[in-house]
Amino acid sequence: MVLGILHGQSPPASRRLFVLFVATTLAPAIGLVWLGWRMVEQDRALEKQRTQESRDHAADLGAASLERALAEIEERLTSGSGKVSEGVAMVVFGPQGVLDHAGVALPYYPAVPPAPEPSPAVFAPAEALEFQGPGPPAAIRALKELARAKDPAVRGGALVRLARNYRKSGDVPRALAAFRELGALADTRVNGLPAGLLATQGSALLLEALGKHEDLKRQASLLDADLRNGRWRINRAYYELAKEQTRRWLGNGAPDSEERDRLALADAAESVWKEWQAAARAETNTRGRRTVWTRDQSVLVLSRSSPDRLVVSLVGPQFLQSVWLAGLRSLRAAQHVDFALTDAEGRPVLGHPEAPVSRQSVRTASATRLPWTVHAISA
């Protein structure tokens, strides 16, 4: 036996003992490892299934929530009563243009009906003094009387002419004072435009001519804020003219996100109004729900039309973000899910739908009858 060990040979009994040891220890260990791996895989599959079910539930919630929100807007559109939702513009059109609006104010409208204007004969004597007679001093005396008229439109027309004559006379302080008084008339239409807008523009142009750059910037900032916030009811051509002036005076470029949202709503309103006009205002009452893609945004247009009246609700990104998405995030079932929307062409409307398909539960527009496809994405 000693010789066997010296020559590197294991005795048969020791070999059997070693094999028995390996069989009784290593095999169970391998079995435990395999069993542990199987348990981990089962846990992963179970967690994946739970995640899928939770995400599917969130997708159903998202689609149902969006349908309810749009149904509420349509109900208000039909009844004409109730508060307009945040981020929604409701506009009433007649054959000549906008009649009324509520909710988000638009920067411009496709058409604005003409307002009653004073007869040119009212200002003819003062203009004769200004252009054919003694000149601005005599015209100023005549216009001061008209500037105290009870009719706001007459006062507005007189103040515009007073500011012009004061400027010709070199009396800048009085010219600016006339514009301030004109601004107090706010929405009164003067020469087809709101008096407040004419006052702000006129003051800025006067300050520009005088080289008063700091005062000009302050006045131009007021004009720019009014345009961005849809303060005035004006058409697109005049909006673009005024915006070009503010860009020249302030040097700012592209609109911010809020202004871009308002512009998209205005574009959609213009599109649907032109279609209504082109259809010769069909003699039937119709309902509509369609999307308009403009300025890289999707706007939903809900409409009710008759031969002499078109009422639209315009639903844009602000509503989807602040009402629909914010409401979903408050639900416990949707707290670990991100949401996105895409249009019929697959363009992103809201959120980030480019996430891997394996992380998404999708409710298509064709299945839900919604304007957009809803994506619920595992966060």
Side-chain angles (χ1 to χ4, degrees), residues 147-171:
R148 292 190 289 269
K150 291 183 179 180
D151 185 347
V154 173
R155 289 206 308 275
L159 287 167
V160 167
R161 291 165 173 83
L162 266 177
R164 183 177 68 215
N165 280 276
Y166 278 131
R167 179 180 177 180
K168 286 181 177 180
S169 301
D171 195 340

mmCIF file of all heavy atoms in Angstrom, residues 147-171:
data_model
loop_
_atom_site.group_PDB
_atom_site.id
_atom_site.type_symbol
_atom_site.label_atom_id
_atom_site.label_comp_id
_atom_site.label_asym_id
_atom_site.label_seq_id
_atom_site.Cartn_x
_atom_site.Cartn_y
_atom_site.Cartn_z
ATOM 1 N N ALA A 147 -62.490 115.622 -29.067
ATOM 2 C CA ALA A 147 -61.910 114.674 -28.112
ATOM 3 C C ALA A 147 -62.721 114.591 -26.827
ATOM 4 O O ALA A 147 -62.457 113.710 -25.987
ATOM 5 C CB ALA A 147 -60.472 115.055 -27.800
ATOM 6 N N ARG A 148 -63.696 115.478 -26.651
ATOM 7 C CA ARG A 148 -64.575 115.427 -25.477
ATOM 8 C C ARG A 148 -65.964 114.880 -25.830
ATOM 9 O O ARG A 148 -66.883 114.941 -25.022
ATOM 10 C CB ARG A 148 -64.714 116.833 -24.866
ATOM 11 C CG ARG A 148 -63.428 117.353 -24.242
ATOM 12 C CD ARG A 148 -63.672 118.619 -23.435
ATOM 13 N NE ARG A 148 -63.976 119.760 -24.305
ATOM 14 C CZ ARG A 148 -63.053 120.598 -24.780
ATOM 15 N NH1 ARG A 148 -61.776 120.414 -24.476
ATOM 16 N NH2 ARG A 148 -63.389 121.616 -25.557
ATOM 17 N N ALA A 149 -66.123 114.351 -27.032
ATOM 18 C CA ALA A 149 -67.425 113.827 -27.481
ATOM 19 C C ALA A 149 -67.844 112.623 -26.647
ATOM 20 O O ALA A 149 -67.018 111.898 -26.085
ATOM 21 C CB ALA A 149 -67.355 113.452 -28.955
ATOM 22 N N LYS A 150 -69.151 112.384 -26.554
ATOM 23 C CA LYS A 150 -69.664 111.243 -25.797
ATOM 24 C C LYS A 150 -69.396 109.924 -26.516
ATOM 25 O O LYS A 150 -69.203 108.886 -25.883
ATOM 26 C CB LYS A 150 -71.168 111.412 -25.561
ATOM 27 C CG LYS A 150 -71.518 112.549 -24.601
ATOM 28 C CD LYS A 150 -73.023 112.606 -24.366
ATOM 29 C CE LYS A 150 -73.375 113.715 -23.383
ATOM 30 N NZ LYS A 150 -74.854 113.788 -23.135
ATOM 31 N N ASP A 151 -69.391 109.943 -27.823
ATOM 32 C CA ASP A 151 -69.167 108.730 -28.612
ATOM 33 C C ASP A 151 -67.681 108.339 -28.531
ATOM 34 O O ASP A 151 -66.811 109.089 -28.985
ATOM 35 C CB ASP A 151 -69.560 108.984 -30.069
ATOM 36 C CG ASP A 151 -69.479 107.732 -30.919
ATOM 37 O OD1 ASP A 151 -68.888 106.730 -30.463
ATOM 38 O OD2 ASP A 151 -69.986 107.756 -32.055
ATOM 39 N N PRO A 152 -67.350 107.149 -27.968
ATOM 40 C CA PRO A 152 -65.944 106.741 -27.852
ATOM 41 C C PRO A 152 -65.234 106.683 -29.202
ATOM 42 O O PRO A 152 -64.045 106.990 -29.286
ATOM 43 C CB PRO A 152 -66.028 105.354 -27.213
ATOM 44 C CG PRO A 152 -67.353 105.297 -26.566
ATOM 45 C CD PRO A 152 -68.259 106.148 -27.387
ATOM 46 N N ALA A 153 -65.954 106.296 -30.261
ATOM 47 C CA ALA A 153 -65.323 106.210 -31.578
ATOM 48 C C ALA A 153 -64.922 107.597 -32.084
ATOM 49 O O ALA A 153 -63.865 107.765 -32.705
ATOM 50 C CB ALA A 153 -66.268 105.536 -32.565
ATOM 51 N N VAL A 154 -65.755 108.596 -31.812
ATOM 52 C CA VAL A 154 -65.410 109.970 -32.204
ATOM 53 C C VAL A 154 -64.222 110.461 -31.392
ATOM 54 O O VAL A 154 -63.286 111.064 -31.933
ATOM 55 C CB VAL A 154 -66.626 110.900 -32.017
ATOM 56 C CG1 VAL A 154 -66.224 112.366 -32.265
ATOM 57 C CG2 VAL A 154 -67.761 110.502 -32.961
ATOM 58 N N ARG A 155 -64.239 110.193 -30.070
ATOM 59 C CA ARG A 155 -63.101 110.599 -29.230
ATOM 60 C C ARG A 155 -61.813 109.945 -29.713
ATOM 61 O O ARG A 155 -60.769 110.579 -29.788
ATOM 62 C CB ARG A 155 -63.353 110.212 -27.774
ATOM 63 C CG ARG A 155 -64.420 111.024 -27.090
ATOM 64 C CD ARG A 155 -64.216 111.080 -25.570
ATOM 65 N NE ARG A 155 -64.044 109.768 -24.961
ATOM 66 C CZ ARG A 155 -65.044 108.970 -24.581
ATOM 67 N NH1 ARG A 155 -66.308 109.360 -24.804
ATOM 68 N NH2 ARG A 155 -64.811 107.817 -24.016
ATOM 69 N N GLY A 156 -61.910 108.639 -30.053
ATOM 70 C CA GLY A 156 -60.715 107.932 -30.517
ATOM 71 C C GLY A 156 -60.170 108.526 -31.798
ATOM 72 O O GLY A 156 -58.952 108.748 -31.927
ATOM 73 N N GLY A 157 -61.048 108.792 -32.760
ATOM 74 C CA GLY A 157 -60.600 109.392 -34.016
ATOM 75 C C GLY A 157 -59.976 110.752 -33.797
ATOM 76 O O GLY A 157 -58.975 111.109 -34.437
ATOM 77 N N ALA A 158 -60.557 111.562 -32.875
ATOM 78 C CA ALA A 158 -60.007 112.889 -32.593
ATOM 79 C C ALA A 158 -58.638 112.785 -31.930
ATOM 80 O O ALA A 158 -57.716 113.551 -32.254
ATOM 81 C CB ALA A 158 -60.977 113.665 -31.704
ATOM 82 N N LEU A 159 -58.469 111.823 -31.005
ATOM 83 C CA LEU A 159 -57.189 111.686 -30.293
ATOM 84 C C LEU A 159 -56.072 111.229 -31.223
ATOM 85 O O LEU A 159 -54.926 111.665 -31.090
ATOM 86 C CB LEU A 159 -57.358 110.700 -29.135
ATOM 87 C CG LEU A 159 -58.166 111.245 -27.947
ATOM 88 C CD1 LEU A 159 -58.560 110.121 -27.000
ATOM 89 C CD2 LEU A 159 -57.362 112.315 -27.207
ATOM 90 N N VAL A 160 -56.386 110.346 -32.157
ATOM 91 C CA VAL A 160 -55.372 109.942 -33.145
ATOM 92 C C VAL A 160 -54.896 111.155 -33.932
ATOM 93 O O VAL A 160 -53.686 111.359 -34.143
ATOM 94 C CB VAL A 160 -55.952 108.869 -34.103
ATOM 95 C CG1 VAL A 160 -55.040 108.686 -35.307
ATOM 96 C CG2 VAL A 160 -56.128 107.546 -33.374
ATOM 97 N N ARG A 161 -55.818 112.003 -34.348
ATOM 98 C CA ARG A 161 -55.470 113.194 -35.137
ATOM 99 C C ARG A 161 -54.778 114.249 -34.269
ATOM 100 O O ARG A 161 -53.874 114.953 -34.742
ATOM 101 C CB ARG A 161 -56.736 113.754 -35.791
ATOM 102 C CG ARG A 161 -57.277 112.840 -36.887
ATOM 103 C CD ARG A 161 -58.713 113.185 -37.278
ATOM 104 N NE ARG A 161 -59.169 112.409 -38.433
ATOM 105 C CZ ARG A 161 -59.655 111.171 -38.329
ATOM 106 N NH1 ARG A 161 -59.744 110.572 -37.150
ATOM 107 N NH2 ARG A 161 -60.040 110.524 -39.424
ATOM 108 N N LEU A 162 -55.188 114.340 -32.996
ATOM 109 C CA LEU A 162 -54.516 115.265 -32.089
ATOM 110 C C LEU A 162 -53.049 114.889 -31.917
ATOM 111 O O LEU A 162 -52.161 115.755 -31.967
ATOM 112 C CB LEU A 162 -55.212 115.263 -30.724
ATOM 113 C CG LEU A 162 -56.284 116.321 -30.459
ATOM 114 C CD1 LEU A 162 -56.907 116.100 -29.089
ATOM 115 C CD2 LEU A 162 -55.690 117.725 -30.557
ATOM 116 N N ALA A 163 -52.789 113.590 -31.697
ATOM 117 C CA ALA A 163 -51.407 113.137 -31.529
ATOM 118 C C ALA A 163 -50.577 113.467 -32.763
ATOM 119 O O ALA A 163 -49.419 113.907 -32.660
ATOM 120 C CB ALA A 163 -51.388 111.634 -31.259
ATOM 121 N N ARG A 164 -51.162 113.279 -33.937
ATOM 122 C CA ARG A 164 -50.444 113.588 -35.181
ATOM 123 C C ARG A 164 -50.123 115.079 -35.285
ATOM 124 O O ARG A 164 -49.009 115.465 -35.647
ATOM 125 C CB ARG A 164 -51.304 113.144 -36.366
ATOM 126 C CG ARG A 164 -50.615 113.347 -37.726
ATOM 127 C CD ARG A 164 -51.499 112.818 -38.827
ATOM 128 N NE ARG A 164 -52.711 113.616 -38.996
ATOM 129 C CZ ARG A 164 -53.894 113.105 -39.327
ATOM 130 N NH1 ARG A 164 -54.037 111.807 -39.499
ATOM 131 N NH2 ARG A 164 -54.953 113.906 -39.487
ATOM 132 N N ASN A 165 -51.085 115.932 -34.937
ATOM 133 C CA ASN A 165 -50.861 117.374 -35.044
ATOM 134 C C ASN A 165 -49.900 117.889 -33.974
ATOM 135 O O ASN A 165 -49.085 118.783 -34.236
ATOM 136 C CB ASN A 165 -52.197 118.119 -34.969
ATOM 137 C CG ASN A 165 -52.933 118.111 -36.300
ATOM 138 O OD1 ASN A 165 -52.679 118.942 -37.174
ATOM 139 N ND2 ASN A 165 -53.840 117.145 -36.475
ATOM 140 N N TYR A 166 -49.973 117.313 -32.785
ATOM 141 C CA TYR A 166 -48.997 117.691 -31.751
ATOM 142 C C TYR A 166 -47.578 117.311 -32.188
ATOM 143 O O TYR A 166 -46.620 118.054 -31.965
ATOM 144 C CB TYR A 166 -49.325 116.998 -30.432
ATOM 145 C CG TYR A 166 -50.400 117.683 -29.621
ATOM 146 C CD1 TYR A 166 -51.476 116.960 -29.100
ATOM 147 C CD2 TYR A 166 -50.348 119.053 -29.349
ATOM 148 C CE1 TYR A 166 -52.464 117.578 -28.346
ATOM 149 C CE2 TYR A 166 -51.322 119.682 -28.597
ATOM 150 C CZ TYR A 166 -52.386 118.939 -28.095
ATOM 151 O OH TYR A 166 -53.355 119.556 -27.337
ATOM 152 N N ARG A 167 -47.463 116.147 -32.831
ATOM 153 C CA ARG A 167 -46.144 115.739 -33.305
ATOM 154 C C ARG A 167 -45.648 116.699 -34.384
ATOM 155 O O ARG A 167 -44.458 117.087 -34.385
ATOM 156 C CB ARG A 167 -46.207 114.312 -33.861
ATOM 157 C CG ARG A 167 -44.877 113.832 -34.405
ATOM 158 C CD ARG A 167 -44.977 112.426 -34.956
ATOM 159 N NE ARG A 167 -43.713 112.001 -35.527
ATOM 160 C CZ ARG A 167 -43.486 110.826 -36.083
ATOM 161 N NH1 ARG A 167 -44.466 109.935 -36.131
ATOM 162 N NH2 ARG A 167 -42.306 110.527 -36.595
ATOM 163 N N LYS A 168 -46.520 117.081 -35.302
ATOM 164 C CA LYS A 168 -46.119 118.045 -36.341
ATOM 165 C C LYS A 168 -45.687 119.373 -35.722
ATOM 166 O O LYS A 168 -44.798 120.060 -36.247
ATOM 167 C CB LYS A 168 -47.284 118.286 -37.304
ATOM 168 C CG LYS A 168 -47.565 117.146 -38.261
ATOM 169 C CD LYS A 168 -48.721 117.518 -39.189
ATOM 170 C CE LYS A 168 -49.009 116.434 -40.216
ATOM 171 N NZ LYS A 168 -50.136 116.806 -41.116
ATOM 172 N N SER A 169 -46.326 119.732 -34.604
ATOM 173 C CA SER A 169 -46.001 121.000 -33.945
ATOM 174 C C SER A 169 -44.750 120.900 -33.084
ATOM 175 O O SER A 169 -44.294 121.903 -32.528
ATOM 176 C CB SER A 169 -47.176 121.446 -33.066
ATOM 177 O OG SER A 169 -48.343 121.611 -33.840
ATOM 178 N N GLY A 170 -44.228 119.690 -32.951
ATOM 179 C CA GLY A 170 -43.031 119.502 -32.120
ATOM 180 C C GLY A 170 -43.331 119.372 -30.644
ATOM 181 O O GLY A 170 -42.430 119.385 -29.815
ATOM 182 N N ASP A 171 -44.603 119.238 -30.275
ATOM 183 C CA ASP A 171 -44.990 119.111 -28.868
ATOM 184 C C ASP A 171 -45.098 117.625 -28.517
ATOM 185 O O ASP A 171 -46.189 117.048 -28.466
ATOM 186 C CB ASP A 171 -46.324 119.819 -28.636
ATOM 187 C CG ASP A 171 -46.618 120.039 -27.164
ATOM 188 O OD1 ASP A 171 -46.007 119.338 -26.339
ATOM 189 O OD2 ASP A 171 -47.455 120.903 -26.854
#
